């Protein structure tokens, strides 16, 4: 029979509000982190990245915060729009010596309601 | 702009059959990363290639093999398929082991 997938954590926000999606990582040696957005049936889409020598990085409507002390990463989306509805993954670089193969964290499903 | 091309986009196979998935990187990209994403799961890194050589290996089963060809396209060969192999398979391409751009994926269903 068909396997049942995990139920993703879901964050529901109203259009126009700010969203915060959190991620914990385990490898204290990780030096590069990325946030991806994935819409249903599509490949992950790069949103923003941050290196371990930074605490914060801002893009257009998005901010990533890195707390190395507690190994925590967050993605803040300002003025959330319906088009932001998707699953969001954080990812860390597996091995900085062999390119950008990534370990992904568990996704969070963001649902934006009008 | 040209993107990563994966073929086929959908594939249905029976248990114990074989499957070959293809990935055509963005022009001039020389690096390919393969990922497997089960239903409701996060993508899992399988294997990567740079300049036709394996650059990193993740949780790729022994039943799977992959290679990168002289034109930099890559193929993932899967044998003795199991129900649990049903998943989305993504490849990402980049230049010189850089951060990858993901393709649209191949949805494999094993019956």
């Amino acid at each position: 029979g068909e396997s049942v997938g995990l139920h993703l954590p879901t964050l529901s926000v109203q259009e126009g509000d700010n969203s915060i999606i959190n991620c914990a990582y385990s490898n204290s040696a990780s030096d590069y982190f990325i946030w991806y957005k994935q819409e249903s049936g599509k490949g992950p889409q790069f949103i923003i990245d941050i290196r371990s020598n930074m605490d914060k990085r801002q893009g257009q409507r998005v901010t990533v915060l890195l707390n190395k002390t507690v190994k925590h990463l967050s993605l803040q989306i300002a003025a959330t729009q319906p088009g932001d509805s998707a699953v969001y993954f954080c990812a860390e670089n597996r091995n900085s010596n062999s390119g950008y193969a990534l370990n992904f964290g568990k996704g969070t499903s963001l649902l934006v309601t009008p | 702009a040209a993107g990563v091309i994966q073929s086929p986009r959908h594939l249905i196979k029976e248990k114990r059959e074989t499957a070959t998935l293809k990935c055509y990187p963005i022009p001039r990209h020389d690096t390919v990363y393969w990922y497997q994403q089960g239903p409701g799961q996060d993508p899992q890194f399988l294997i990567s290639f740079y300049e036709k050589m394996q650059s990193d290996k993740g949780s790729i089963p022994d039943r799977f093999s992959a290679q990168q060809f002289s034109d930099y396209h890559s193929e993932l060969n899967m044998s003795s398929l199991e129900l649990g192999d049903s998943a989305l398979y993504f490849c990402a391409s980049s230049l010189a082991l850089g951060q990858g751009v993901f393709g649209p994926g191949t949805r494999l269903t094993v019956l």
Side-chain angles (χ1 to χ4, degrees), chain A residues 14-111:
Chain A
Q14 280 202 307
E15 182 179 359
D17 287 352
N18 296 334
S19 304
I20 299 176
I21 300 172
N22 297 302
C23 176
Y25 64 94
S26 56
N27 184 1
S28 56
S30 295
D31 61 359
Y32 180 70
F33 304 88
I34 310 176
W35 279 100
Y36 284 95
K37 172 185 180 182
Q38 187 176 29
E39 295 172 287
S40 182
K42 296 184 178 180
Q45 177 187 354
F46 173 89
I47 301 174
I48 192 167
D49 59 0
I50 189 168
R51 295 205 173 273
S52 58
N53 60 354
M54 302 173 70
D55 298 320
K56 179 180 179 179
R57 190 158 189 235
Q58 289 185 287
Q60 188 176 9
R61 282 203 305 120
V62 294
T63 300
V64 55
L65 298 177
L66 175 62
N67 185 331
K68 294 180 286 293
T69 302
V70 295
K71 291 185 282 189
H72 183 269
L73 200 63
S74 69
L75 176 70
Q76 301 177 2
I77 305 174
T80 315
Q81 302 167 0
D84 294 328
S85 293
V87 177
Y88 290 80
F89 292 96
C90 67
E92 62 182 353
N93 200 17
R94 283 168 47 86
N95 180 349
S96 58
N97 295 322
S98 59
Y100 284 79
L102 303 169
N103 286 331
F104 281 78
K106 300 303 178 188
T108 295
S109 178
L110 176 65
L111 178 63

Side-chain angles (χ1 to χ4, degrees), chain B residues 43-98:
Chain B
Q44 295 288 318
F45 170 69
L46 294 178
I47 195 166
S48 61
F49 293 90
Y50 167 58
E51 282 289 346
K52 294 156 279 183
M53 300 286 287
Q54 181 181 305
S55 57
D56 196 0
K57 187 174 181 180
S59 52
I60 184 169
D62 292 341
R63 298 178 290 109
F64 295 5
S65 65
Q67 58 182 325
Q68 186 179 33
F69 294 85
S70 57
D71 64 350
Y72 298 114
H73 95 272
S74 179
E75 296 184 3
L76 178 65
N77 299 294
M78 310 160 72
S79 63
S80 303
L81 286 169
E82 302 173 356
L83 295 178
D85 296 328
S86 294
L88 274 166
Y89 290 83
F90 292 103
C91 74
S93 80
S94 74
L95 184 62
L97 288 169

Side-chain angles (χ1 to χ4, degrees), chain B residues 4-21:
Chain B
V4 177
I5 297 172
Q6 292 189 243
S7 71
R9 293 294 313 279
H10 301 272
L11 188 59
I12 299 175
K13 290 286 185 178
E14 300 277 342
K15 280 195 308 184
R16 292 180 289 277
E17 286 190 322
T18 61
T20 297
L21 309 186

